[in-house]
Amino acid sequence: MKKRWIAGALAGVMMLSLVACGDKETGTPDPTATPTAGVTQAAEPTQTGGDADPVKTDQKPDPTAEPTEEVTPTAEPTQEPEEEIPSIQSVFAEYDMRVGTCLTTQMINKSVLADLIKKNFNSVTMENSMKPDYILDKNASIEAGDLVVAFNADMVKMLDWARDNNMAVRGHTIIWHSQTPKWIFHENFDTNAPFASREVMLARMESYIRQVFAQLDEYGYTDLFYAYDVVNEAWMEDGKIREEMNYWYQIIGEDYLWHAFYYADQYAPETIDLYYNDYNEQYKTDALLKFVDTLVDEEGNYLIDGIGLQAHLYTGDDLKGYLNTVERLGATGLKIELTELDVSLGTWQNTLYGTDENLRTQGKYYYELIGGLFELVKEEKVKMDALTFWGFADGLSWRKNASPLLYDTMYIPKYALYGVLQMEEKAGY
Ligand code: GLA
């Protein structure tokens, strides 16, 4: 539930093949799986670490590691002219769903990429430019004695592009342990000083959240946004809150989460759905269910509108189990969005090459996953009004060695694309 929009609330992104639509190597390990030889393994189920605080790849599945299977030549499923292939958005429109991709400035500057986006998608999520590292201004904060939000040129450029091309936008992300500057947590914004107090951090959080929505309004972008990730990646697979590097938690305590949604509920316009977003959702389902139940106001109304499931999946992942997670979370009545969907070849311990066989497996996986989601929507078991892919072409993916996306490195459609388009005859069967 959302309250009023506080009107007038004040003040206040190489070469193309190297443009990763992702900034970091977040694994989506199966905590129950026994690691086998091959790709670098996680010491423990873990993910995350962004530009700001990269996690060493020897502590986690390394998406850039060479696949462990023997290479056989990749067969192309078809060479059909692009204009004869239906668009992804036309398929999702049948279910009243938006469909999106993550976005970088490099993508909008390269016409082959921009054209594929315009054809297929009607929603975008900034890859990096709206993360805390990119919108918090240290000098201005020191000067103001308060945390100051300052939108950056890449963000503005991409939002203008989104508007010019009729794209809706998902905001990503406000409160996160990663890609967040450390200075915001210290007295006087000085990392040599002690941590600020709980009260000061709550006041900074409120001011930060208020400014995000106020500035979107001042810039005239509010109407582009339909959803915003208020908090990203706060829970662990063992059901405990993330403690490591999570200074919001370390200083404020566990109720930093409630406060983040409380403030967002207060300052965000009604038209923007407020989301909690996380990875490894199929292993954290119980924790997430418990958590969202705490995000209520004094009258018991939800302060949250939706649960974002990152959906960084593998063709070896249990598909039925995944759909079951979606259904269980959907039973809360909250909206559910897959927010960063990609399906890597293999498993997190053992990624595979893009052989014809593996790509067919992926095509079928996408076919069944998207088909399964459409079923849940049709049967009204899950409220899902959007789904976002973490990119669309393998060469641009943060997991490019595991070929997780819909077009190959030459922008040729894969079985995966046909799977998403629900064209069973071309999806690799
Ligand atoms: C997480 C974050 C995204 C992005 C991906 C990896 O899932 O939510 O913003 O950093 O990791 O690219």
Side-chain angles (χ1 to χ4, degrees):
M1 81 103 206
K2 278 203 245 98
K3 296 181 190 120
R4 64 244 129 91
W5 161 229
I6 308 275
L10 115 158
V13 167
M14 278 179 138
M15 298 295 297
L16 187 56
S17 63
L18 294 177
V19 178
C21 187
D23 43 81
K24 64 191 178 100
E25 302 185 346
T26 58
T28 50
D30 176 352
T32 61
T34 314
T36 60
V39 175
T40 317
Q41 293 146 10
E44 58 181 52
T46 171
Q47 188 235 27
T48 181
D51 291 347
D53 48 4
V55 171
K56 292 270 179 296
T57 50
D58 59 359
Q59 293 178 335
K60 61 185 356 192
D62 177 1
T64 64
E66 286 303 314
T68 46
E69 208 183 52
E70 241 173 61
V71 196
T72 57
T74 297
E76 296 303 345
T78 104
Q79 297 276 358
E80 215 177 316
E82 183 62 41
E83 57 275 12
E84 285 169 23
I85 305 172
S87 72
I88 302 174
Q89 56 173 315
S90 66
V91 172
F92 277 70
E94 288 171 35
Y95 297 86
D96 287 327
M97 285 172 69
R98 292 189 167 100
V99 60
T101 175
C102 67
L103 191 70
T104 63
T105 49
Q106 291 87 341
M107 289 181 192
I108 65 180
N109 290 336
K110 182 90 183 169
S111 62
V112 61
L113 299 175
D115 289 348
L116 284 176
I117 297 176
K118 288 187 247 176
K119 170 181 176 180
N120 284 304
F121 302 106
N122 49 23
S123 166
V124 291
T125 303
M126 313 278 119
E127 174 207 356
N128 278 310
S129 305
M130 294 182 64
K131 291 175 174 172
D133 259 349
Y134 299 85
I135 62 163
L136 291 169
D137 185 326
K138 185 173 182 182
N139 291 334
S141 299
I142 293 171
E143 203 173 307
D146 185 17
L147 206 47
V148 172
V149 172
F151 289 172
N152 58 73
D154 282 353
M155 169 181 172
V156 166
K157 187 175 174 183
M158 286 188 273
L159 290 176
D160 287 343
W161 186 87
R163 183 165 45 208
D164 292 346
N165 292 286
N166 298 315
M167 303 268 169
V169 184
R170 281 198 101 247
H172 177 75
T173 180
I174 304 179
I175 302 293
W176 195 17
H177 66 284
S178 183
Q179 292 187 271
T180 296
K182 182 94 189 299
W183 54 263
I184 72 168
F185 300 103
H186 290 264
E187 284 177 6
N188 307 317
F189 306 107
D190 175 1
T191 46
N192 294 314
F195 274 149
S197 66
R198 166 181 160 94
E199 288 63 40
V200 166
M201 285 316 300
L202 282 171
R204 287 182 188 176
M205 178 189 273
E206 176 172 8
S207 179
Y208 168 25
I209 293 175
R210 176 174 44 72
Q211 289 175 62
V212 166
F213 293 108
Q215 285 191 29
L216 285 181
D217 200 46
E218 281 164 20
Y219 277 77
Y221 291 134
T222 297
D223 60 332
L224 291 180
F225 285 75
Y226 66 98
Y228 216 114
D229 292 330
V230 177
V231 178
N232 202 27
E233 305 180 342
W235 293 93
M236 306 299 284
E237 291 77 359
D238 61 3
K240 299 206 176 95
I241 201 159
R242 177 186 299 281
E243 296 185 11
E244 209 184 329
M245 295 188 324
N246 189 358
Y247 304 118
W248 287 112
Y249 166 75
Q250 290 179 22
I251 298 171
I252 296 174
E254 193 162 325
D255 65 344
Y256 88 93
L257 292 168
W258 185 86
H259 280 93
F261 280 93
Y262 178 76
Y263 297 138
D265 179 60
Q266 205 168 329
Y267 296 112
E270 282 284 350
T271 49
I272 302 183
D273 287 330
L274 303 177
Y275 272 73
Y276 172 74
N277 194 49
D278 213 334
Y279 67 96
N280 273 1
E281 53 272 20
Q282 63 275 46
Y283 309 119
K284 297 177 177 174
T285 316
D286 292 338
L288 297 180
L289 285 166
K290 227 167 108 187
F291 166 57
V292 295
D293 259 6
T294 68
L295 296 175
V296 290
D297 66 11
E298 309 74 32
E299 281 125 43
N301 298 312
Y302 273 128
L303 297 166
I304 183 179
D305 300 292
I307 310 175
L309 311 180
Q310 291 186 9
H312 292 300
L313 301 173
Y314 288 86
T315 54
D317 283 347
D318 172 15
L319 184 58
K320 276 209 176 86
Y322 189 79
L323 289 169
N324 188 253
T325 284
V326 173
E327 188 172 344
R328 287 182 64 203
L329 293 168
T332 57
L334 293 169
K335 289 186 181 177
I336 304 294
E337 178 171 348
L338 272 55
T339 55
E340 304 180 16
L341 174 61
D342 53 14
V343 182
S344 294
L345 301 181
T347 61
W348 70 272
Q349 306 96 326
N350 189 18
T351 50
L352 302 177
Y353 277 113
T355 62
D356 188 60
E357 190 189 342
N358 295 335
L359 292 170
R360 283 177 183 272
T361 302
Q362 182 186 48
K364 294 182 262 191
Y365 199 99
Y366 269 115
Y367 178 83
E368 283 162 32
L369 173 66
I370 300 298
L373 294 171
F374 285 162
E375 271 306 295
L376 290 171
V377 169
K378 209 165 66 191
E379 292 169 7
E380 297 185 356
K381 290 185 170 155
V382 174
K383 279 192 226 153
M384 187 178 284
D385 58 14
L387 179 148
T388 295
F389 291 86
W390 211 237
F392 51 95
D394 284 344
L396 288 71
S397 167
W398 67 301
R399 286 182 162 170
K400 58 171 168 263
N401 286 0
S403 317
L405 292 170
L406 313 181
Y407 291 84
D408 71 9
T409 54
M410 303 303 292
Y411 315 119
I412 293 174
K414 297 165 59 185
Y415 298 114
L417 176 68
Y418 294 104
V420 169
L421 294 173
Q422 299 296 284
M423 297 170 70
E424 188 176 358
E425 66 289 356
K426 290 188 172 180
Y429 287 91

